[in-house]
Amino acid sequence: MTVAPPDPAGYDVVVVGAGPAGLSAALTLGRSRRRVLLLDGGPPRNAASGAAHGLLTRDGIDPGDLKARGLADLEPYDVTVLSEPAREARVVSGGFCVRAGLSWVPARRLLLATGVRDVLPPVAGLRERWGAGVYHCPYCDGWEHHGRALAVYGRGQRGHHLALTVRAWSERVTLLTDGPSLLTPEQESDLRRVGVKVREHVIRALTGQDGVCVSFHGAPPLALDAVFVSPEQQQGSPLAASLGCTLNEAGRVVVDDLGQTSVPGVWAVGDMTGAPQYVVQAAATGMHAATCLNTSLIHEEVAQRGAAFHKGQLPE
């Protein structure tokens, strides 16, 4: 791994984003003897969390430490790391041109790992407790609060689904709808059957140092150990859309089974594609897409030498 200005001569691949997906892709490509530029746009999405869970052999690792270890893994390979986001990207003859800082860098392929951005509910005190009392994923943080007083923030289908899920970690779950619940009669019945209480009072604020205290307008406060919320999300970067990559109705970048977007030569990995949002899943999609991207380069190089891969013939 080299931490240096980008080489104007260009790279085989520019990887945009240095979360688990981007780091995994850069590692795989570096081990495939590719010249790689990794653009590190800043802290990972889970930086606010004290620990990343569910990662084999690294359960509970600090997200910053995980990233540092991932960057260290790149050191033996021809991977240049630049602490800059990709400002712009263009399709050019022979590949792409990416602007990082003040420099434009050519690349044969482009791999996007720019993630998503959580759009948190506008509740006073919630953002300050994000990752420390307020969480996104029970698979990541449910065990640490199992059996305790928990709440789910949400309405309608989203709140119903998350409340039923969190119920698997504790029998003491309350759904906070912060106004009309928007639940159907069937959904209300579901929650009653599993013992989930519903509070429709408008929330005033989240406070507290040890746990979370939820205060309401016109109702007594509620003391909790943790709150789970499934926030709306946006693309972490406008790069994919600016290149013309197809996005689905949820705003995720559409990719095929190889991880390639609708723009030839552009791959996308991790949360930005709507993949399950776990660290290990992001890393897996990064590796898979990187191997497919590298295969496309191999085919291109073989063809330039007048050769080709041929399908095997079935025995007669």
Side-chain angles (χ1 to χ4, degrees), residues 46-315:
N46 62 348
S49 176
H53 292 288
L55 184 59
L56 189 64
T57 78
R58 293 293 183 270
D59 186 43
I61 189 171
D62 179 270
D65 188 20
L66 178 63
K67 180 175 179 177
R69 290 175 182 237
L71 288 169
D73 283 346
L74 302 178
E75 290 180 0
Y77 311 110
D78 192 2
V79 178
T80 298
V81 178
L82 182 63
S83 296
E84 286 277 357
R87 305 291 181 184
E88 215 176 329
R90 299 173 182 169
V91 179
V92 297
S93 177
F96 304 89
C97 211
V98 181
R99 182 166 73 89
L102 300 177
S103 303
W104 282 93
V105 184
R108 297 168 65 188
R109 300 287 191 275
L110 187 58
L111 189 146
L112 305 178
T114 51
V116 294
R117 181 182 299 109
D118 293 306
V119 182
L120 300 180
V123 175
L126 188 148
R127 179 173 295 278
E128 292 81 356
R129 286 160 183 77
W130 187 237
V134 180
Y135 306 98
H136 167 59
C137 172
Y139 288 97
C140 301
D141 295 289
W143 169 259
E144 284 67 34
H145 307 281
H146 73 278
R148 300 182 182 179
L150 306 179
V152 166
Y153 180 97
R155 299 175 181 170
Q157 176 66 25
R158 188 185 291 263
H160 172 263
H161 179 86
L162 186 56
L164 290 179
T165 300
V166 172
R167 174 61 178 73
W169 279 264
S170 176
E171 297 178 356
R172 302 158 62 196
V173 177
T174 301
L175 175 61
L176 308 177
T177 62
D178 198 15
S181 71
L182 306 183
L183 296 168
T184 67
E186 291 81 5
Q187 290 169 339
E188 292 177 346
S189 178
D190 289 339
L191 297 177
R192 281 195 300 271
R193 287 191 179 102
V194 299
V196 172
K197 299 177 181 178
V198 178
R199 292 192 65 165
E200 295 185 289
H201 301 95
V202 174
I203 296 174
R204 184 189 299 274
L206 270 59
T207 58
Q209 298 299 322
D210 185 14
V212 180
C213 180
V214 184
S215 60
F216 302 90
H217 291 278
L222 180 64
L224 300 162
D225 185 68
V227 177
F228 288 86
V229 56
S230 179
E232 299 289 340
Q233 295 178 335
Q234 298 173 346
Q235 284 292 322
S237 165
L239 207 60
S242 69
L243 284 165
C245 299
T246 299
L247 276 63
N248 63 20
E249 64 280 356
R252 302 294 191 265
V253 178
V254 176
V255 295
D256 62 17
D257 291 342
L258 306 180
Q260 189 167 203
T261 72
S262 59
V263 178
V266 180
W267 273 255
V269 297
D271 295 351
M272 67 184 299
T273 68
Q277 295 184 352
Y278 310 118
V279 171
V280 67
Q281 183 74 28
T285 64
M287 180 178 184
H288 173 66
T291 61
C292 296
L293 185 159
N294 188 59
T295 298
S296 78
L297 290 172
I298 292 172
H299 280 254
E300 183 178 281
E301 292 158 356
V302 165
Q304 289 173 350
R305 293 176 175 270
F309 286 87
H310 299 280
K311 293 182 179 180
Q313 294 183 348
L314 295 174

